[in-house]
């Protein structure tokens, strides 16, 4: 594909469900730059740290560029024939349910559509599920129970119009920074706006919250069920809306009214005063938006949590109106698009129901698919259990890394390893999942892909290519269509362009749609390639009947149930205790600010690895004291399923009795950091979403005999340490180390780490009595690598050491400074990175505060820190406050 390097291309960010518009430009020398698209209605030019660094993630290092069978490079014909013949043979011998697709919210809608069409329409099984099952399945189930459809009622504009925003289980500042900044900007214009954060942790999002409710794990069901009772008791109901547009209110209120305030306080871990203040604020504020994310969804009671929230909005008529409604924010760029095409095991395309005979008949006719699946398939967790027990014998994984992201990840890895036939379509040649594939298929990546995505407010945007596809990489839709042809379904998979697939998808959505289905983009059924290329972002529905555009749903009822009324769902909170004497702590898993999923993209960016470079666990000071853990210790976290080694971060932000650890680190980046090896395959009974945020574990200090830190120009091929974590930095790589043995041959270890034998260009310092060792190796005038070893955590500035990889070291004095592990006079150390967008360190911010900058705004004016995505502003404010307190002492 020829790409015009002279033009700036409008595309969409491939990270979270905010769906930010991006302008990508390729310069004459091939350099790519990105900036926010000021005309895109999701972000109006804003980008978070990850989006701002997209140009650093598109190199070809580690790319899978050619098809492979059993590690042998082959042509596309041979690879596709193998996939098609093996799937066809498996189906012939064992039936259609013996095969499965596990797909991803990283796919474009066109990719998703073709994969779903092949599996459900022509293989004849609904065994296609997606990693969105780990993300938003409980929202889908809650929407369908209440509304009769998977409909997000509101828009991003509601976040700016609301008088009260309740953030539930959402660290918006780090996980959806652009939405956070839209709220923060609205708050500055209207200081009377109130914000409540409901989260066991005091996250960076709490920086703008008027109230932080440090709720007990899974206490949300009780919190919102009791809120419904409070609304009934305090005459805060919209009786007209309830009577005209809903059913089941009496049963839901009766169930809620059985709860007393003391019992709710116990179930939520909140005081009666906190509950009363929150309930009163909610009751008296008409314009209320409740934003919820993974803290609600990733739970064994996730669907009940969603319906408990929706019940409160239905009861007050606060739904579908400007500044009011329940709002689910999605974690992936196209989780919503996958839901639209039926990319989950219990859905049909175009939001039709697989259980509905009329819907099945409609899709069967449209696709001319006589083998259309007639019952739901296996959801993600059950799918991999079926792989493990042999029911599924051929598995195709697309654009996702389940060996790291699925619960009980070690068992999932064992299942994939034992599966007779595994196909993986991916962009990287080495991930924890790709390494187990029999057939590896090279897919195009962001910047090379062409199609559409749908964000959290139902806005469809284009992802457009601005780079040619490298090697033999091909679009996912093309790969799936080619397999479909080879399986004998050629006419149905004669897709030539993504524009044609989108037009087919749109036509199906509008087929016989008389307004009884929410998803309708039939207006685009006849779209051609030229109009597709210039397609502007739009919100569905866009009905073919020419009806006026609808940006919000349900303000005047008209739900998608048979009687067109919303259903209240009676909720009875159940408090689960999963801890015991052996596993006394609750582990909550999640994300950090600058990394994404399993780091296959963000791990390539030097600046995104500088803010937080290694896996960690937050632990409350009282728990740390109880278990003999100090700040920066290496600790072992164990569950009945596995264990990890991570760095301890002792902080009062964490709730006592609970831990928090991020899920990003994989075997590619850490010795033992795969966090989902700890989590259980326990799921919500309605949605099938796993409970990734409530895991019983124990913690203990890892008895390291020595600690190390190293920087090197080349990534180490292997690391002979008990604990290691690698991270990209400018000029090379940095490595954190810990050892169970301090009797290492440090010179040989350093040579192995740096990838070169010891030479005369090596300087070393050894104090064996003190356990101090420092070794620096040089390649000409450049540093090949430097290793620092100490009996405790190494007190060397990581940023300063990494800078040495990019500098020239001609003189001995400079080389000895490296071995000494400190900067010379007049060489200030920036300190730990706070602002990734502009690479500003904590020491630089502290120095600016000492020089007279006393506000976040003045720091921004001086250093630019906090002026792009803004997700570091809370940390900047903390540095300012610490300096103020220090000055007052």
């Amino acid at each position: 594909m020829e790409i015009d390097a002279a033009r700036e291309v409008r595309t969409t960010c491939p990270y979270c469900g905010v769906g930010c518009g991006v302008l990508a430009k390729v310069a004459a020398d091939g350099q790519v730059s990105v900036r926010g698209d000021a005309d895109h209605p999701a972000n109006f030019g804003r980008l978070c740290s990850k989006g701002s660094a997209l140009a650093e993630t598109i190199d070809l290092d580690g790319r899978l560029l050619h098809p492979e069978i059993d590690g042998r490079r082959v042509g596309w014909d041979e690879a596709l024939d193998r996939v098609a013949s093996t799937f066809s043979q498996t189906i012939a011998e064992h039936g259609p349910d013996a095969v499965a697709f596990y797909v991803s919210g990283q796919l474009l809608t066109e990719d998703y559509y073709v994969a779903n069409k092949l599996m459900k329409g022509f293989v004849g099984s609904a065994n296609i599920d997606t990693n969105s099952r780990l993300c938003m399945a409980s929202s889908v189930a809650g929407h369908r129970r209440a509304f009769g459809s998977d409909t997000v009622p509101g828009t991003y504009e509601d976040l700016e119009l609301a008088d009260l925003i309740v953030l539930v289980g959402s660290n918006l500042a780090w996980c959806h920074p652009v939405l956070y900044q839209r709220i923060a900007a609205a708050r500055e214009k209207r200081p009377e706006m109130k914000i409540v954060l409901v989260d066991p942790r005091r996250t960076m999002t709490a920086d703008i919250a008027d109230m932080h409710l440090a709720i007990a794990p899974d206490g949300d069901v009780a919190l919102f069920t009791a809120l419904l009772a409070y609304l009934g008791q305090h005459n805060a109901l919209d009786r007209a809306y309830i009577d005209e547009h809903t059913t089941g209110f009496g049963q839901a209120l009766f169930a809620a009214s059985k709860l007393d305030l003391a019992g709710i306080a116990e179930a939520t871990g909140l005081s009666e005063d906190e509950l009363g203040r929150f309930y009163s604020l909610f009751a008296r504020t008409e314009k209320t938006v409740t934003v919820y994310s993974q803290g609600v969804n990733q739970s064994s009671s996730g669907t009940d949590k969603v319906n408990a929230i929706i019940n409160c909005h239905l009861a007050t008529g606060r739904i579908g109106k400007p500044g009011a409604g329940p709002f689910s924010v999605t974690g992936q760029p196209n989780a919503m698009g996958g839901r639209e095409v039926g990319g989950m095991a219990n859905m049909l395309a175009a939001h039709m129901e697989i259980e509905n005979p009329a819907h099945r008949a409609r899709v069967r006719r449209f696709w001319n698919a006589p083998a259309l699946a007639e019952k739901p398939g296996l959801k993600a967790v059950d799918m991999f259990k079926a792989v493990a027990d042999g029911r599924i014998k051929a598995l195709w994984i697309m654009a996702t890394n389940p060996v790291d992201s699925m619960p009980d990840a070690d068992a999932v890895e064992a299942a994939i390893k034992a599966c007779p036939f595994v196909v993986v379509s991916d962009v990287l040649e080495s991930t924890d999942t790709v390494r187990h594939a029999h057939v590896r298929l090279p897919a195009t990546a962001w910047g090379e892909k062409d199609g559409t995505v749908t964000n959290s407010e139902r806005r469809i945007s284009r992802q457009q290519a601005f780079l040619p596809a490298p090697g033999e990489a091909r679009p996912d839709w093309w790969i799936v269509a080619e397999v479909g042809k080879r399986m004998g379904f050629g006419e149905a998979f004669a897709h030539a362009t993504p524009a044609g697939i989108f037009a087919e998808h749109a036509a199906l959505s509008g087929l016989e749609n008389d307004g009884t289905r929410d998803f309708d983009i039939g207006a685009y059924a006849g779209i051609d390639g030229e109009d597709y290329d210039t397609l502007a972002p739009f919100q569905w529905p866009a009905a073919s009947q020419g009806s006026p555009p609808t940006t919000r749903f349900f303000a005047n009822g008209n739900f998608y149930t048979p009687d067109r009324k919303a259903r209240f769902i009676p909720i009875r909170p159940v408090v689960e205790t999963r801890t015991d004497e052996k596993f006394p702590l609750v582990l909550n898993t999640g994300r950090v600010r600058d990394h994404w999923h399993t780091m296959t993209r963000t791990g390539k960016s030097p600046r995104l690895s500088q803010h937080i470079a290694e896996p960690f666990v937050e632990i409350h000071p009282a728990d740390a004291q109880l278990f003999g853990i100090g700040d920066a210790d290496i600790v072992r976290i164990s569950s009945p399923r596995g264990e990890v080694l991570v760095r301890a971060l002792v902080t009062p932000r964490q709730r006592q009795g609970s831990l928090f650890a991020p899920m990003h680190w994989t075997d590619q980046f850490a010795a033992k950091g795969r966090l989902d090896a700890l989590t259980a395959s326990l799921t919500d009974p309605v949605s099938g979403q796993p409970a990734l945020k409530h895991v019983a574990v124990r913690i203990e200090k890892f008895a390291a005999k020595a600690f190390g830190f190293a920087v090197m120009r080349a990534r180490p091929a292997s690391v002979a340490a008990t604990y290691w974590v690698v991270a990209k930095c400018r000029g090379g790589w940095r490595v954190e180390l810990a050892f169970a043995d301090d009797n290492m041959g440090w010179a040989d270890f350093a040579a192995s780490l740096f990838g070169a034998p010891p030479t005369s260009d090596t300087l070393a310092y050894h104090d064996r009595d003190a356990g101090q060792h420092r070794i620096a190796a040089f390649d000409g005038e450049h540093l090949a690598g430097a290793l620092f070893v100490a009996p405790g955590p190494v007190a060397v500035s990581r940023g300063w050491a990494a800078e040495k990889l990019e500098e020239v070291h001609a003189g001995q004095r400079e080389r000895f400074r490296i071995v000494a592990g400190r900067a010379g006079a007049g060489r200030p150390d920036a300190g730990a990175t706070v602002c990734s967008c502009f690479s500003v360190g904590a020491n630089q911010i502290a120095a600016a505060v000492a020089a007279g900058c006393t506000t976040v705004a003045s720091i921004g004016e001086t250093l630019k820190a906090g002026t792009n995505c803004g997700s570091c502003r809370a940390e900047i404010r903390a540095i300012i406050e610490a300096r103020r307190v220090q000055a007052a002492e």
Side-chain angles (χ1 to χ4, degrees):
M1 181 178 181
E2 293 294 328
I3 302 295
D4 182 2
R7 67 190 178 104
E8 194 168 46
V9 175
R10 277 193 158 85
T11 186
T12 307
C13 180
Y15 287 118
C16 74
V18 176
C20 295
V22 174
L23 294 172
K25 187 174 183 179
V26 184
D29 62 358
Q31 292 295 309
V32 174
S33 59
V34 300
R35 61 190 178 97
D37 184 352
D39 294 328
H40 197 288
N43 59 313
F44 299 107
R46 296 182 181 95
L47 288 179
C48 73
S49 59
K50 294 185 289 292
S52 298
L54 274 167
E56 298 175 19
T57 70
I58 56 176
D59 61 59
L60 299 184
D61 290 349
R63 281 293 296 271
L64 179 63
L65 297 175
H66 308 281
E68 297 178 2
I69 297 177
D70 296 328
R72 172 178 58 90
R73 178 177 170 178
V74 299
W76 269 110
D77 282 338
E78 184 177 351
L80 294 168
D81 286 346
R82 174 69 66 86
V83 175
S85 63
T86 305
F87 269 75
S88 294
Q89 183 178 351
T90 303
I91 293 164
E93 293 179 1
H94 304 285
D97 288 336
V99 301
F101 291 174
Y102 185 62
V103 297
S104 165
Q106 297 292 301
L107 294 175
L108 303 186
T109 299
E110 293 74 7
D111 305 323
Y112 247 133
Y113 180 86
V114 176
N116 183 59
K117 181 179 179 180
L118 176 58
M119 178 56 76
K120 290 201 179 93
F122 293 85
V123 170
S125 170
N127 281 350
I128 175 170
D129 211 43
T130 167
N131 59 13
S132 298
R133 182 70 60 188
L134 316 180
C135 172
M136 300 309 299
S138 293
S139 284
V140 175
H143 290 162
R144 292 178 71 178
R145 286 207 301 188
F147 308 148
S149 61
D150 176 23
T151 311
V152 174
T155 72
Y156 292 163
E157 183 187 38
D158 295 326
L159 304 176
E160 297 161 327
L161 299 176
D163 294 326
L164 169 63
I165 295 178
V166 184
L167 300 170
V168 190
S170 170
N171 185 7
L172 210 66
W174 277 19
C175 299
H176 299 89
V178 169
L179 289 187
Y180 174 81
Q181 289 308 317
R182 287 185 67 163
I183 293 172
R187 171 73 170 271
E188 288 182 7
K189 293 177 182 177
R190 294 192 297 116
E192 66 274 15
M193 175 192 284
K194 300 297 182 184
I195 299 172
V196 176
L197 175 65
V198 182
D199 198 303
R201 304 164 60 216
R202 185 171 180 82
T203 65
M204 291 302 169
T205 303
D207 187 55
I208 62 169
D210 299 281
M211 186 186 305
H212 171 219
L213 302 179
I215 197 164
D218 282 337
D220 316 78
V221 177
L223 179 70
F224 284 94
T225 302
L227 173 58
L228 180 65
Y230 181 96
L231 296 171
Q233 294 161 2
H234 290 78
N235 196 30
L237 302 172
D238 187 334
R239 289 286 182 181
Y241 190 93
I242 293 169
D243 293 342
E244 187 173 353
H245 299 304
T246 73
T247 62
F249 175 71
Q251 297 94 317
L253 185 63
F254 178 76
S257 298
K258 291 189 172 184
L259 307 171
D260 62 74
L261 196 59
I264 293 302
E266 182 178 356
T268 60
L270 303 172
S271 70
E272 293 186 23
D273 177 64
E274 287 176 307
L275 292 168
R277 286 189 291 119
F278 169 54
Y279 289 169
S280 174
L281 180 61
F282 191 102
R284 68 176 184 266
T285 310
E286 182 67 23
K287 288 188 173 183
T288 297
V289 174
T290 303
V291 178
Y292 61 92
S293 190
Q294 308 305 3
V296 166
N297 290 295
Q298 291 179 335
S299 167
S300 60
S301 57
T303 306
D304 280 353
K305 290 184 185 184
V306 171
N307 286 118
I309 291 169
I310 291 174
N311 282 349
C312 295
H313 280 270
L314 291 174
T316 52
R318 297 174 190 170
I319 187 166
K321 299 173 182 176
F327 203 119
S328 158
V329 289
T330 52
Q332 293 198 79
N334 204 29
M336 185 77 79
R339 288 147 65 175
E340 292 162 3
V341 302
M344 301 175 86
N346 55 322
M347 303 169 70
L348 273 184
H351 281 197
M352 286 185 269
E353 300 170 359
I354 199 167
E355 303 92 343
N356 186 315
H359 289 182
R360 291 200 306 271
R362 185 179 297 130
V363 176
R364 182 183 293 113
R365 289 194 305 272
F366 183 83
W367 282 345
N368 191 22
L372 189 82
E374 296 190 347
K375 65 181 189 302
L378 295 172
K379 299 169 185 174
V381 171
D382 289 335
M383 178 183 289
F384 283 99
K385 288 180 179 178
V387 174
D389 65 26
R391 282 174 289 155
I392 290 175
K393 302 177 186 302
L395 174 67
W396 190 346
I397 299 168
M398 305 178 198
T400 187
N401 201 1
V403 167
D404 296 306
S405 57
M406 283 293 296
D408 200 0
D410 286 347
V412 169
E413 180 172 35
I416 293 172
K417 287 172 69 174
C419 186
F421 188 64
V422 177
V423 182
V424 177
S425 308
D426 211 317
V427 300
L428 293 183
E429 63 183 354
S430 179
T431 71
D432 290 355
T433 299
V434 168
R435 64 190 176 191
H436 300 306
H438 300 97
V439 179
R440 303 176 186 182
L441 304 176
T444 47
W446 183 82
E448 306 150 12
K449 296 164 74 79
D450 195 24
T452 57
V453 293
T454 308
N455 75 355
S456 295
E457 62 167 353
R458 310 183 317 275
R459 189 176 300 278
I460 296 174
S461 301
R462 289 277 277 113
Q463 264 195 26
Q464 301 202 69
F466 55 87
L467 295 171
E472 295 182 83
R474 296 290 185 271
D476 289 281
W477 67 262
W478 180 90
I479 299 171
V480 177
E482 287 297 313
V483 170
K485 292 175 186 177
R486 285 166 168 80
M487 292 179 71
F489 314 125
E491 185 177 345
F493 293 92
H495 304 294
T497 65
I501 300 169
F502 184 80
E504 181 179 318
H505 165 51
L508 177 56
S509 77
L511 184 68
E512 302 171 25
N513 194 343
D514 57 0
T516 56
R517 301 200 311 273
D518 64 336
F519 180 69
D520 187 346
I521 56 170
Y524 294 92
I527 195 168
D528 59 21
E530 183 176 346
D531 287 341
Y532 182 74
D533 286 341
T534 58
L535 183 66
F538 72 94
Q539 282 179 288
W540 60 260
S544 54
Q545 298 96 322
S547 58
T550 301
T551 57
R552 296 180 181 86
F553 284 87
F554 310 141
N556 297 307
N558 206 29
F559 293 89
Y560 293 95
T561 56
D563 61 4
R564 306 310 297 267
K565 293 187 176 185
R567 303 184 190 98
F568 279 91
I569 306 298
I571 304 293
R572 293 175 176 82
V574 176
V575 178
E576 292 191 63
T577 301
R578 296 179 188 158
T579 56
D580 55 29
E581 290 185 3
K582 191 172 183 180
F583 299 100
L585 299 171
V586 171
L587 174 66
N588 173 15
T589 70
R591 298 174 176 170
V592 298
R593 187 186 77 191
D594 294 346
H595 277 308
W596 174 252
H597 283 197
T598 59
M599 294 168 59
T600 51
R601 184 182 290 116
T602 54
K604 287 173 166 278
S605 168
R607 59 172 151 153
L608 294 181
S609 293
Q610 302 316 300
H611 181 241
I612 296 175
E614 61 183 317
F616 66 92
V617 60
E618 288 186 359
I619 181 170
H620 189 274
D623 290 327
Q625 184 177 21
L626 177 64
F627 294 102
I629 293 167
D631 207 22
D633 280 347
I634 307 296
V635 296
R636 178 183 286 107
I637 309 174
S638 307
S639 80
R641 291 156 294 280
E643 64 178 38
V644 297
L645 293 175
V646 297
R647 186 81 67 176
L649 173 59
V650 180
T651 172
R653 294 193 301 267
Q654 183 55 258
R655 177 186 173 87
Q656 192 170 348
S658 293
L659 307 173
F660 170 82
M663 50 74 69
H664 307 288
W665 279 266
T666 71
D667 287 352
Q668 311 297 308
F669 291 95
K672 211 166 183 62
R674 290 171 52 244
L675 199 73
D676 278 317
L678 305 178
T679 56
S681 56
L682 177 68
T683 61
D684 178 282
V686 181
S687 70
Q689 183 155 0
L692 299 177
K693 292 183 171 290
H694 190 167
V695 184
V697 297
R698 64 170 176 259
I699 191 170
E700 58 189 324
K701 182 177 178 177
F702 169 66
K705 297 292 183 64
F707 293 80
F709 170 72
V711 294
M712 63 218 66
R713 293 175 69 184
R715 179 169 180 159
S718 62
V719 184
T722 310
Y723 173 90
W724 59 263
V725 182
V726 299
K728 196 84 169 67
C729 63
R730 287 182 174 84
W733 297 83
R734 50 184 282 190
V735 186
E736 298 288 344
L737 302 155
F739 306 87
D741 184 1
D742 59 356
N743 293 317
M744 302 279 291
W746 295 114
D748 290 339
F749 175 81
S752 172
L753 201 62
F754 304 155
T759 69
S760 57
D761 280 338
T762 298
L763 294 178
Y765 167 84
H766 300 284
D767 183 343
R768 289 175 174 80
D769 291 338
Q772 297 276 356
H773 306 271
R774 303 173 202 144
I775 301 168
F778 297 88
D779 180 8
E781 294 183 341
H782 293 278
L783 179 66
L787 170 67
F788 307 90
V789 178
V794 175
V796 170
S797 167
R798 275 52 176 164
W800 169 84
E803 288 173 1
K804 304 300 111 181
L805 294 170
E806 297 186 289
E807 297 176 1
V808 173
H809 306 285
Q812 286 295 98
R813 178 175 296 180
E814 286 297 320
R815 296 186 177 203
F816 277 119
R817 283 195 181 118
I818 295 173
V819 175
R822 60 179 180 272
R827 292 173 176 260
D829 171 22
T833 297
V834 172
C835 175
S836 295
C837 295
F838 297 108
S839 298
V840 180
N843 293 348
Q844 292 172 288
I845 296 170
V849 174
C853 293
T854 58
T855 65
V856 174
S858 61
I859 292 291
E861 292 171 3
T862 303
L863 300 174
K864 297 181 72 175
T867 61
N868 183 41
C869 79
S871 55
C872 61
R873 289 178 185 170
E875 291 171 88
I876 295 171
R877 189 172 288 108
I879 293 171
I880 294 170
E881 181 64 17
R883 184 79 187 189
R884 185 188 67 79
V885 171
Q886 185 180 14
E889 291 177 347

